[in-house]
Amino acid sequence: MVTSSGGARVAMAAWSTFAAAVNVFLLLALPRVSHAQTFSFPFLQPESCGHNQYFDISALSCVPCGANQRQDARGTSCVCLPGFQMISNNGGPDIICKKCPENMKGVTEDGWNCISCPGGLTAEGKCHCPTGHILVERDVNGTLLSQATCKLCDENQNSFTVANALGNRCVRCEPTFVNTNRSCVCSEPNILTGGLCFSSTVNFPSRVISSARYGEPGMSFTSEWFAKYLQSSAAACWVYANLTSCQALGNMCVMNMNSYDSVTFDACRLFQFIFENTGLRTVHSISFWRRNLPWLFYGDQLGLAPQVLSTIPLPTNFSFKGENQNRKLKFIAASYDVRGNFLKWQTLEGGVLQLCPDTETRLNAAYSFGTTYHQNCEIPISKILTDFPSPIFYDVYLEYTDENQHQYVWAVPVLNLNLQHNKIFVNRDSSPGKWLLTRRIFLVDALSGRENDLGSQPRLTRIATQISLSIYLVPNTKNGNIYPPLITIAYSDIDIKDPNSQSVKVSFSVKYEMNQGEAQVQTDIALGVLGGLAVLSSLLKTAGWKRRIGSPMIDLQTVMKFLVYYAGDLANVFFIITVGTGLYWLIFFKAQKSISVLLPVPAQEERLVTYVGCAFALKALQFLHKLMSQITIDIFFIDWERPKGKVLKAVEGEGGVRSAMVPVSIWRTYFVANEWNEIQTVRKINPLFQILTVLFFLEVVGFKNLALMDSSSSLSRSPTSYIAPYSRILRYAVSTALWLVIGSLQIMFFAVFYERFIEDKIRQFVDLCCMSNISVFLLSHKCFGYYIHGRSVHGHADTNMEEMNMNLKREAENLCSQRGLVPNTDGQTFQIAISSQMRQHYDRIHETLTRKNGPARLLSSSASTFEQSIKAYHTMNKFLGSFIDHVHKEMDYFIKDKLLLERILGMEFMEPMEKSIFYNDF
C-alpha cells in the first residue's frame, strides 16, 4: 500500500513537470502577431500550376514536384515520370521515384514495379497490347511476372469473349452480337448501332432522324446522344422488347417534347411505330399503355383531353376540418434515368419538381389541399448544369385510399406547351378539345443538347421554366371530390454561351378551380333584380326632383337627371353585389368542412374587378353631381334684429345733420355664416380614426391573413411557414367588412352617445341662431329647401352681457315663450316646399343681388351699385321675415308632419299650389 501510493505521487509529479514543459515550449515556439503584418497572399488556381508543379491544398499555392516527377491528373499531387517506378508515396511531393533498368523499361499499371513489355509502350510508360488482347502482369495468386504478356480473348462459340473497355479482363460479348451473328463481330449486312448488333432482315425503319428539335419548328441540330443511342434503343425495344431500351426510347421522345410528325422518323415516330405494331397487350387495362412500353400519350388523336380531365372523378374525398379530414395531396412519381433504368418510387415532397430552393416546410405546402401556391426565382445556369448533369424522368401519380383502405394510384396527365403535333403547338390552344395530353416529364435536359461529345458543354439546355398543377373541383359536390389533376409544363431552350453569367427564371405553382357558371348566373340574377330596383328608385328620385323644382314637363334635363340618379343607385347595386359576393366566398370557403367551393382564380375575378371599377366610376359621377348641387344652393340669413332708437347723423353735401335709425350690427350674421361653413365638415365618422382602426385590425390583429388563398382561418401565421398569395376577392371582402363594421360602430357611437352626452354640432348651431336672432333660409331646389327658425324669444340679441345672461336665465326658468316657429312648440327645423308664386317673388328680389357677378375687383365700385345691393339685401330680409310672419296672405304657408312613406321615399306627395308647406324636421 505504501509503495503503491508513493509510485502514484511520483507519476503525478512527473506528469506535472511534463505539462509545464509543454506550456513553456508552446509559449516560446508560437509566433507572435505583429501589428504591421498583413493577412493576404496571391490568388492561384490549380490550373495555373506548371507541369512540374502541384497545387498544395493546405497552402493554396503551387509547389514544385520532386525529382523525376510531374503533376498528376487532378493537379493536387505528383506522380513519377514515364520509365520511373515509385519507391514510396505519402502524397504531395513526398514521393520517391527510381528509374527502371534498360531491360525492364515498362511500368506496371499501379506504378510500383518495373516490367518488361511484349510490345510498345503507352505515353504513360505502361505496356501496350493490340486490340482484342488483355494485358497480364501478375500470376493468378498476384505474383509479379518478369515479363508482361498480351492474351487474346477467345471469341469462339464456346466462350464468346472480348476485352473489356479497360483492356484488363475478358468479358462475354454483347448478347445481340451472339444472337445475330453468332460471334463477337457485327459484320455486314447486319447493322451496328449504339454498341448493339441487329439483323438486316428485321422489319424496322432504317432511316432514323437523330436530331433534337429546339425552339420554333425548323430549329434542330444533331444530338450526340440521339445519334449514338436512338436507333439502338428503338431496335432493342422492337426486336427484343428490352424494358430499359423501351424506356430509353420513351425518354428520348420526351426529351424531344413528345412532338410527333407523321413524316419524320424521329424518337416519337419510332415509339409510335412500335406502339402500333405491338398488339393489344395492355397494362392495367389502360388502352394507352402497352406491355414493355412506357405510357407517354393519352392516344395519338386530338380531342381526348376533355374526356380524361372531366369525366371520371377521383374516388377519394378531401376535407378541411373534422375527424376524417384529408388535406394532403399525396403525389408520388416513378423515376427513371436517361438510360431507362427504374430508380425508385418517390414522393414529390421535398421539392422534387421545384427547382427553386426553400425550406422543406414551404416546399411541402404546395401539396396542402386548398392552398394556392406560387414560387418563382432566378437560378444561374452554372448551378443547373452542376445539379442536373443527366436528366431524370418522372411519371407522376396521385396516391389515394379507397373505402376498404386499399392503396391505389391515379395517373396524372401532363399538358406540355412545347409539344408539336405535325409542327403545330396544339397545347397552346385555349380549347381543351385540341389538346394532346402526355405522361412523362423532366426538369432539366443538358444531355441532348451536346453536339459532338457527350463530355463537352451542351450547346443548348432545355429547362422546365414553368410548372403548374391544376386541381378541378367536381361541380355540385358536397364531399370534396375532384377530377384528375393536370400538370401544365413549359420548357425554355437556353443557348449556352457563358454559364457563369447566364441565369433563367423558373416558377412552380398550384391552383384550384371550380366551375363558376352557377355563381355567375346567381350574380347576374341579383344584378338584374337590384338593377330593376335601382331604375325604380331613380324614377322616384327624378319624380321627387321634378316636384321640387315645380316643373311637370319631361325634357332633356329630366332625362339627364334620371341618368345621374341611376348612376348613383347602380353604383350602390354594384357595391352590394361585390360585398355580398366577397363575404360569400370568405365565409363559405374558410368555414367549410367537406369541400364544396373553391376560390375563384384571378381570371375568374375579372368580373368582380369590373363591378368594383364600375361602382367607383359611377360614384365619382354621383359625387360630381352632389358637388354641383351644393354649390348652386341659395342660402339667406334672416336677421330679426330691429334698430333701437335714433341717432343724429351728418349728411354729406348738405352741411347739416339729421336723425337716423340706429344701424343693426352685421357681425352676428357674419358669425353665424362662419359657423355654417364650419359645420359643413362635421361627419359622424372620423376619417383618420376609421383608417387607423382598419389598418390596426388588418396588420396588427392579423385580419389580412383571412385573405390568403388557403384553408386556414387563423389570424396569425408562423414566419417559417409558407404564405399563400392574397385573393383579390377575399381582400376586398375583409377590408370592406372591417370598414363597414367600424363605420357602423362609429355612427352608432356618434348617434347614441356622443350627440347625447358630449356635443351635437347641428343642435348647437340651431341654438346659436336663436341666440343671435338669425334664421337660415336655404333653397336646395327651385321650390324646395330647409328652414332653421332662429328668431329670439326675447325680441333682440344685440345686447350687453348682463341682459344676455338675464334672458338665458328667464328661458331656463320657463318665464318666456318657447323657441319654436309655432307658439308653445320647440320645432325650429323644417323642410319647406314653397309655392311658385313665392318663388317668383323671391327671384325678383334675388335678381338685383346677382345682376352683377364676377370678382369684386372687376365690379363697378360706384355708390349707386353698392347701395342697390344693400337695398336688395334689406328687401330680401324684410320679405322673408314677413313671409315667415304670415304677412303675405297670397303667399302663406302651413306646417305639417311628413308621412312615413314620404320620409322613406325622400319625396313629397302634396304639391304646394296656393300655399307653401313647412314639414317638421325633427
Side-chain angles (χ1 to χ4, degrees), residues 410-435:
W410 191 288
V412 178
V414 175
L415 182 67
N416 188 344
L417 300 182
N418 297 72
L419 182 148
Q420 300 177 43
H421 186 76
N422 293 325
K423 299 183 180 180
I424 300 176
F425 291 96
V426 294
N427 288 344
R428 297 182 183 179
D429 196 282
S430 59
S431 174
K434 298 182 180 180
W435 292 350

Side-chain angles (χ1 to χ4, degrees), residues 55 195 543:
F55 186 76

